[in-house]
Amino acid sequence: MNTFVLLQSFLKHGLRALFGSERLLFYSLAYIRVCRPRLVLTFIDNVPTFWRLRRNSNQEFRTAFVQNGRRFDVGDVFQGLVASDDYFVDHHFVFNEKMGELFSNFVGGQTHVIGSLKSNALQRKTIPNQIPTIVFISGYEQVENSQQVIRVLDSGRSISHFEYFKVDRWLVKEALRWCTKNGFQLLVAGRSTITNGEECAWFEEILGSQGSNWQFRPREDLWSSYRLVDSALLTVNSDSTLGYESLARGNRTIFFSSRGSELESESSNFGWPAHNDQDGPFWTTSRDHGIFQSLANYVLTLTEDEWENLVNTEISNVLATNQGNTKIKRILNKILESYSEC
């Protein structure tokens, strides 16, 4: 907290600026008044407080958000969301057209489809490992115990950490079984930056001690996870943002988007809200050993041209690409130039 800004917020809004439910909004507006920016930009697209900035200020600035991850209607911004006249963001930079339409149902403003800003910023370079590898993308969330509630459904039913991650436990074991049978190494792309922390221990409990057949790879920097999936012959995931980014980068990627059975929701299905098919050439909602085998074998036996043609028919609907982020740069420059012309 900036003490001067907090004082300005208090002078304008009184005790509500310190203890009220809108204190974050008041503080943000006070900060903006001090900074007098042309543009207020966030990469946290799923915070309604940000959506309220423009409607609650007379300042001459524009707002924009950049979608930074997959969005769902359980445990995420769209669960129980109600449209409001207060919600307005000048520019929505989103993954795909359907997600832009979904945001527009609740938040006013102009939509721009750009895909993933981070993935677009890093050029794909395939540097194969000495041992052929499969990468499993972890979606692990740190909790105190496996029975801790991490999602509550609209029906009121609570979902524990153990129940939520059923699909991940099954899927990573299937991936290791396939690797052992076919002479591959399994690399787990961790969310944590810690090599031997809680996330690593969770996978060791499922897969056994690390060795020649599998390794946990923590997130080393902003780009390490992208380099990891780019180096693999196959990437396996349930419904992670990195999985879609891997697919958009041209990597052979398969999806087991079957968490909907626990969440009573289709938003965990492949490509939601742009895609409705439960099964396809590289995705499924099943948890069947035979289907894992067939999907992995099918995708790996395709030629480069066959894989590229297959992905090109699907990817633009679920995650657009814009190498070098030329589109968002052009739009942001235009916004800033409009001020200099005033």
Side-chain angles (χ1 to χ4, degrees), residues 44-48 51 67-81 99 103 150-152 154 164 241 263 267 272:
I44 310 174
D45 55 293
N46 57 342
V47 176
W51 305 345
Q67 184 181 349
N68 71 5
R70 280 264 286 150
R71 293 289 162 249
F72 306 92
D73 64 7
V74 174
D76 202 350
V77 65
F78 294 116
Q79 185 171 13
L81 185 62
M99 183 56 66
F103 266 115
I150 61 172
R151 300 289 188 276
V152 178
D154 289 338
Y164 185 84
T241 301
L263 300 183
S267 65
W272 182 89

Side-chain angles (χ1 to χ4, degrees), residues 196-214:
N196 295 309
E198 181 179 315
E199 183 180 19
C200 179
W202 188 74
F203 281 101
E204 288 185 330
E205 184 179 343
I206 298 168
L207 302 176
S209 299
Q210 297 184 64
S212 59
N213 59 343
W214 85 275

